[in-house]
Amino acid sequence: MTVWDVGCQYKIHTLWKHYYHGSNAIIFVVYSTNRERINKVKEESDNLLIQDELKGTQILIFENKQDMNSTMNTTEIVNSLNLNSIKDRKSYIQPCRFNWITNSLNNK
């Protein structure tokens, strides 16, 4: 498996297309605390899903920062990104939590 972290800086989004060829999956990280940018995140995810070279790729959405206060829950993110409309590929959304490592480090 090859994994590319292409980053979320908007100035490099035009370069993302160079990573599409041969991709089998997309891991898309959503910052659950950033309600102000969720519409921009939807634009970016929608743009990825219409790319010809990404047709049929599976998509995993990580809900980052779920361990913080005032986060969007899974339902809010699913609705905001209209994830239930994805019918042409497998998709899954899950919280990205660091409970295990946090607990492990705290209990040393």
Side-chain angles (χ1 to χ4, degrees), residues 82-93:
N82 199 23
L83 298 177
N84 289 326
S85 70
I86 300 173
K87 306 292 185 205
D88 64 337
R89 67 192 76 221
K90 291 181 182 179
S91 63
Y92 190 75
I93 183 168

Side-chain angles (χ1 to χ4, degrees), residues 28-94:
F28 197 82
V29 179
V30 175
Y31 289 93
S32 302
T33 56
N34 201 340
R35 295 173 191 277
E36 297 79 35
R37 292 190 56 226
I38 196 69
N39 289 331
K40 186 66 176 168
V41 171
K42 181 177 182 346
E43 287 177 30
E44 293 298 333
S45 63
D46 287 349
N47 185 50
L48 282 173
L49 296 176
I50 62 169
Q51 300 302 312
D52 286 336
E53 287 194 70
L54 295 175
K55 294 273 188 221
T57 57
Q58 297 180 37
I59 184 165
L60 170 62
I61 298 177
F62 275 138
E63 304 168 67
N64 200 12
K65 304 192 184 265
Q66 282 292 305
D67 54 339
M68 300 185 72
N69 295 327
S70 302
T71 62
M72 292 179 279
N73 62 36
T74 300
T75 302
E76 288 177 275
I77 294 172
V78 166
N79 291 338
S80 294
L81 300 181
N82 199 23
L83 298 177
N84 289 326
S85 70
I86 300 173
K87 306 292 185 205
D88 64 337
R89 67 192 76 221
K90 291 181 182 179
S91 63
Y92 190 75
I93 183 168
Q94 73 179 43

